[in-house]
Amino acid sequence: MGQKHEFVKQSNSEGERRTAFVVVFSAATMVLEIIFGLFSNSMALLADGIHMGSHVLAVGLSLGAYILVRRIEKRKADDVNKDKVLSLSAYTSGILLLMFALFIIVEALERFFSPVVEIRYVEAMVVAAIGMLVNVICALVLRDKHEHDDYNRHSAYLHVLSDALTSLGAILGLICAMIWNFMWIDTVVALVCSLVIVRWAKKLLVDTGKILTSQSDNP
């Protein structure tokens, strides 16, 4: 039992360090994109910087859960179930993922029925590529083969992975629109991406929901 507790403690510590790196790295990217967007009058870069802010808040929720659990462990508060604290954070992240997917669907449908006449393809693709690169790096940092041992870290991983997926979809859509003038491809790709994110969110909510509703005592 003691070995299991020590393993979980080390896992949480590693998860906190990796999540903290992702939050700081993403926040720095967000600030740079917003500053450069204002300086260059690039609405695309500015919008991506603001979107990165929502990403920082979502992953920051996971970091906050780790910090709370660490403080609980220092106080040796046995009346608090630390696993459920982390699972609650992951469950909340699952809800945020569903909201993110819904936002993508609404945006995609709006663009389909009200297509943009003029698109700055090169600028838009550069912004999407920057976003995808940042999120791929963050996903590699957060990736864990034993995802079911730490749902809090896995939820943060899903957030950055969903961001990378939408950036990739945007790039593919822009390429098709630029070469073949298939404006509807952007909507189709966005809808497919949103369905994948919904599937991830659903599984996360089911798994963490089982933990939150279980009657097990605090370890």
Side-chain angles (χ1 to χ4, degrees):
M1 190 70 175
Q3 289 181 344
K4 181 180 178 182
H5 176 73
E6 187 64 27
F7 173 78
V8 171
K9 187 174 180 181
Q10 290 178 356
S11 178
N12 289 346
S13 179
E14 181 184 2
E16 181 180 344
R17 287 196 299 271
R18 295 193 180 197
T19 306
F21 170 82
V22 169
V23 170
V24 172
F25 185 52
S26 300
T29 304
M30 174 194 72
V31 172
L32 288 174
E33 285 187 341
I34 291 176
I35 291 175
F36 188 77
L38 292 171
F39 180 75
S40 63
N41 293 321
S42 169
M43 290 305 297
L45 196 56
L46 181 61
D48 194 66
I50 295 173
H51 171 72
M52 185 70 74
S54 63
H55 163 68
V56 171
L57 288 175
V59 181
L61 174 67
S62 297
L63 177 61
Y66 281 126
I67 294 174
L68 178 60
V69 165
R70 177 159 49 82
R71 290 184 176 180
I72 290 173
E73 288 176 342
K74 283 185 176 180
R75 292 175 56 187
K76 297 182 179 179
D78 296 330
D79 58 330
V80 180
N81 191 314
K82 297 182 285 293
D83 288 337
K84 289 195 175 184
V85 171
L86 294 175
S87 294
L88 178 60
S89 171
Y91 187 86
T92 305
S93 289
I95 295 175
L96 292 176
L97 275 175
L98 283 178
M99 294 173 63
F100 179 52
L102 179 62
F103 174 77
I104 294 173
I105 293 172
V106 172
E107 281 285 304
L109 292 177
E110 282 184 358
R111 291 183 185 181
F112 180 76
F113 291 108
S114 302
V116 180
V117 178
E118 182 182 354
I119 300 178
R120 298 178 180 177
Y121 292 106
V122 175
E123 179 184 278
M125 280 191 284
V126 168
V127 172
I130 292 173
M132 186 175 69
L133 178 62
V134 170
N135 286 304
V136 166
I137 293 173
C138 292
L140 290 174
V141 171
L142 290 171
R143 186 175 182 275
D144 185 7
K145 294 180 180 179
H146 307 288
E147 61 187 52
H148 300 298
D149 292 336
D150 190 346
Y151 282 111
N152 189 49
R153 177 170 158 187
H154 184 58
S155 67
Y157 169 74
L158 289 181
H159 269 287
V160 297
L161 197 61
S162 64
D163 257 3
L165 182 64
T166 53
S167 295
L168 177 60
I171 293 173
L172 293 175
L174 287 166
I175 291 174
C176 291
M178 182 174 63
I179 297 176
W180 298 295
N181 200 31
F182 290 164
M183 307 301 292
W184 52 270
I185 289 290
D186 182 62
T187 300
V188 173
V189 172
L191 292 176
V192 171
C193 290
S194 65
L195 290 177
V196 173
I197 296 171
V198 167
R199 184 176 180 276
W200 290 343
K202 180 183 176 182
K203 188 177 186 304
L204 180 63
L205 289 172
V206 170
D207 291 341
T208 53
K210 289 178 181 178
I211 297 175
L212 292 172
T213 55
S214 67
Q215 298 299 320
S216 59
D217 296 329
N218 187 51

